[in-house]
Amino acid sequence: MKTFHSIFMVVVMCGGYGTPLASAADGEAIRVILVGDSTMATRTGYGDALCNLFEANVTCINLAKGGRSSGSYRAEGSWERVLQLLFAREPFANTYVLIQFGHNDQPGKPGRSTDLATEFPVNLARYVVDVKGNGAVPVLVTPLTRRIFRNNVLQNDLKPWANATRDVAAAHSTPLLDLNTKSAAVIVAMGSPAADTLAEAPPPTRATISTTPAAEVPKVASTVEAQGKFDYTHLGAKGASLFARMVANEFAQAVPSIAKRIKPDTSGK
C-alpha cells in the first residue's frame, strides 16, 4: 500500500484534493459509499435496501461490515479500501460517504470498544477529514436504535453515541442524518410486538393456554424468557426497507441536491 500512499500524498500536496466537489448536475453520475457496522451491512442491515432506492445514475457501494467499530474498521484496513475508491474519482461528478458507527464502540467488546469521550469522536473526525481531503462529501449518520423495551419503555442505549456523532458533525460542518432519533421515535410508536417483526428472524411466541394437564404440556419459553436470545438489533427485509427509506429521506433533507436522485416512495404509507 506504500505506492498508494505516495501517490495520495503527492496529489494532496499539489492541492488536487483540497477543494470539495461541486454539486453534480442532474444527468451527471454520482457515487454513494456506505461505511459502518452490521446495522448498515449486507444481509443484517439497511444498506443494500438504501442502495436500491437511488436512481440509475447513482452508484451505491455498501462497504459496511458486521462487528466493526469506529476504531476497528480503520485498524483492519477496511478504510483503506474506501480511500482507494475516493482516489479514483472518475467518472463521478461527486461522491458522498455515509458513516455510521456506535454499536460496537460500546464497552465490553474486546478489540472493538472505544472510549466515548476520547476515542469515538476523534475516530469520526478523522473519517470526516479524510473524506473531505479526498474531495468527497462526508455524511455522518447517528446509530440505529436497538429495539429493546423494558416496562414498555424503549432502551435507547446508543443515545450517548448519537450525541457524540452530532457534536462531531457540528464541529466539522458536516451533514448529519439523525437516524437514532428518528428510528427511536418510530419504534416507540410501533410498540414492542410490532417492532419485533423488523428483526432478521421471527420473534419467539408466547406459550398458549391449554387444557392439557400441566405434566403433559411441553415447556415453551415466553417472549420475556427468550429476550436474551432474540435479536433486537439487526434487520430483516421489513426492517431494512423501513430504515432505508428513513435514511434516504434524511439524506434528501440534509443534502437537498440528492433528493432528485432518490426514487419516490410508492408504498402509499
Side-chain angles (χ1 to χ4, degrees):
M1 303 308 298
K2 291 183 179 179
T3 301
F4 167 74
H5 280 301
S6 298
I7 297 173
F8 172 77
M9 289 307 298
V10 169
V11 176
V12 170
M13 292 175 66
C14 292
Y17 288 101
T19 304
L21 295 170
S23 297
D26 290 357
E28 292 180 312
I30 65 172
R31 179 172 54 176
V32 175
I33 301 174
L34 307 184
V35 171
D37 56 35
S38 56
T39 60
M40 181 187 268
T42 297
R43 191 183 66 77
T44 57
Y46 64 82
D48 286 3
L50 175 61
C51 285
N52 289 334
L53 293 181
F54 292 112
E55 297 288 356
N57 57 358
V58 177
T59 295
C60 184
I61 306 170
N62 189 359
L63 295 183
K65 293 187 174 182
R68 274 56 173 188
S69 69
S70 66
S72 66
Y73 191 89
R74 182 187 291 271
E76 71 177 12
S78 292
W79 185 244
E80 193 73 19
R81 171 59 177 155
V82 178
L83 292 178
Q84 290 175 6
L85 289 173
L86 295 182
F87 182 78
R89 289 187 181 183
E90 299 295 338
F92 304 104
N94 210 348
T95 295
Y96 299 89
V97 184
L98 274 60
I99 303 166
Q100 178 205 287
F101 288 108
H103 290 80
N104 298 299
D105 287 87
Q106 291 181 304
K109 299 175 181 179
R112 297 180 287 175
S113 302
T114 63
D115 183 81
L116 178 59
T118 63
E119 294 179 303
F120 180 68
V122 172
N123 291 342
L124 290 186
R126 284 185 68 193
Y127 288 129
V128 168
V129 170
D130 283 355
V131 173
K132 288 184 177 180
N134 280 274
V137 180
V139 180
L140 291 178
V141 185
T142 59
L144 178 71
T145 187
R146 292 190 174 92
R147 304 178 300 278
I148 300 173
F149 284 79
R150 291 196 178 96
N151 298 320
N152 295 319
V153 177
L154 179 67
Q155 305 300 297
N156 187 5
D157 62 346
L158 285 155
K159 195 169 184 179
W161 284 263
N163 291 338
T165 304
R166 289 190 203 96
D167 290 343
V168 172
H172 291 267
S173 301
T174 299
L176 176 78
L177 313 186
D178 198 356
L179 178 59
N180 184 264
T181 296
K182 293 295 179 67
S183 62
V186 167
I187 295 303
V188 168
M190 292 177 71
S192 182
D196 286 351
T197 66
L198 304 178
E200 281 189 271
T205 57
R206 295 181 180 276
T208 56
I209 299 176
S210 173
T211 56
T212 307
E216 299 177 23
V217 176
K219 186 175 181 179
V220 179
S222 69
T223 302
V224 175
E225 292 170 335
Q227 187 169 7
K229 296 181 179 180
F230 182 62
D231 188 341
Y232 293 91
T233 300
H234 301 109
L235 305 172
K238 181 178 178 181
S241 177
L242 172 65
F243 295 119
R245 179 57 68 176
M246 183 179 291
V247 171
N249 290 343
E250 284 285 292
F251 194 8
Q253 290 183 22
V255 184
S257 61
I258 203 73
K260 62 190 66 176
R261 306 301 186 97
I262 298 173
K263 296 175 184 175
D265 185 356
T266 59
S267 66
K269 296 179 181 180

